Amino acid sequence: MSAFSTSVIPPKGFCPLTDKTVPLFERELKENEAMAYTLAQVDVSAFKSFLLNSSKEIWDSNYHDKENVKLMRPAHDAWGIGKIMFTFCDDFLLKVLDLPFSQDPTWRKFLMPIYEACGVPENRIVRSLLASMPPGVNIPVHHDTGFWVQHTHRTHVAICTDTGSVHFMVGHKDVSGEEGVHKYSFEEGRIVELNNQAKHAVRNEWDQNRIHLIF
């Protein structure tokens, strides 16, 4: 049995960018400040069915070299996390690239309802990708870095997951290991904005790949 038997449900709301000026462990939390928020809930069943019934090659970087654009994500690539890229920017927000899949009608019919559900115009999206995390993979406790972190809203939507076996943990203090983080509810279809200046980690103890959209 996992140590994370209960989950924090992210309250409704959004994360003000003023809460992201420094890593959270460098300051005290404000009264009623959350580290993740629920923006909306969407039906992702059709998206999930499409992904699970697609060829595994859609996650292969060589496939994207031919059909989309091949981009590297060094840490995730080293962990064996598959990716399907739609939009991407550099760390300094100087260039935003809309990749071919972002304009493909097949993908757009799944992406647009998610953007619209949380009131985000498409031209405000600076990064968007699907990530497929294999069984047994652990992303260790960290907070995100780069100029883009302070100037964007980091949003997650689980498309294929198991709430009992996939653990998305978020915490305030700078601690070693998972001592200072708590499991948050990232069930399928919940659009969650994460304050990625908080410490966070992910563990997949499921026997299947956990797939989610990050934008």
Side-chain angles (χ1 to χ4, degrees):
M1 180 178 291
S2 169
F4 298 96
S5 56
T6 60
S7 301
V8 176
I9 298 177
K12 291 184 178 180
F14 70 95
C15 181
L17 293 181
T18 52
D19 287 353
K20 300 180 66 175
T21 55
V22 297
L24 260 60
F25 71 86
E26 295 183 4
R27 65 172 177 82
E28 294 299 319
L29 291 179
K30 298 182 295 185
E31 185 176 1
N32 298 322
E33 180 178 352
M35 290 175 283
Y37 298 84
T38 296
L39 300 180
Q41 193 89 27
V42 290
D43 181 358
V44 295
S45 56
F47 202 173
K48 176 180 178 178
S49 178
F50 172 77
L51 291 171
L52 294 182
N53 287 294
S54 296
S55 167
K56 290 184 178 180
E57 78 169 344
I58 65 170
W59 301 102
D60 188 271
S61 60
N62 292 325
Y63 174 80
H64 291 271
D65 203 17
K66 297 180 291 182
E67 302 294 335
N68 192 33
V69 173
K70 182 178 180 179
L71 291 177
M72 306 298 289
R73 299 186 78 214
H76 282 212
D77 293 345
W79 288 317
I81 297 174
K83 59 185 180 294
I84 298 173
M85 312 288 287
F86 304 107
T87 302
F88 210 71
C89 68
D90 65 283
D91 281 354
F92 297 98
L93 295 175
L94 296 177
K95 292 182 180 179
V96 179
L97 304 176
D98 261 331
L99 308 183
F101 277 6
S102 73
Q103 301 305 312
D104 186 296
T106 298
W107 293 105
R108 289 179 66 80
K109 70 180 180 182
F110 301 120
L111 295 174
M112 295 308 296
I114 294 174
Y115 299 160
E116 291 166 1
C118 49
V120 179
E122 187 181 11
N123 63 5
R124 302 291 292 180
I125 302 293
V126 296
R127 289 187 179 182
S128 180
L129 68 143
L130 284 165
S132 181
M133 183 179 186
V137 171
N138 298 328
I139 298 177
V141 176
H142 68 286
H143 65 273
D144 293 348
T145 59
F147 179 82
W148 67 276
V149 173
Q150 300 177 23
H151 299 278
T152 60
H153 298 272
R154 176 66 174 263
T155 310
H156 295 253
V157 190
I159 309 298
C160 185
T161 192
D162 179 79
T163 55
S165 303
V166 178
H167 312 290
F168 198 118
M169 291 85 73
V170 186
H172 174 210
K173 295 298 184 182
D174 187 19
V175 296
S176 60
E178 296 175 359
E179 183 180 334
V181 295
H182 305 279
K183 181 173 178 176
Y184 273 64
S185 183
F186 277 60
E187 73 270 21
E188 293 175 2
R190 182 185 292 273
I191 305 178
V192 178
E193 181 182 354
L194 169 71
N195 184 337
N196 51 336
Q197 290 278 41
K199 294 294 181 180
H200 53 283
V202 190
R203 264 201 280 134
N204 185 3
E205 297 177 351
W206 197 20
D207 61 358
Q208 300 176 40
N209 280 40
R210 172 260 205 174
I211 303 172
H212 74 150
L213 178 72
I214 311 167
F215 68 94

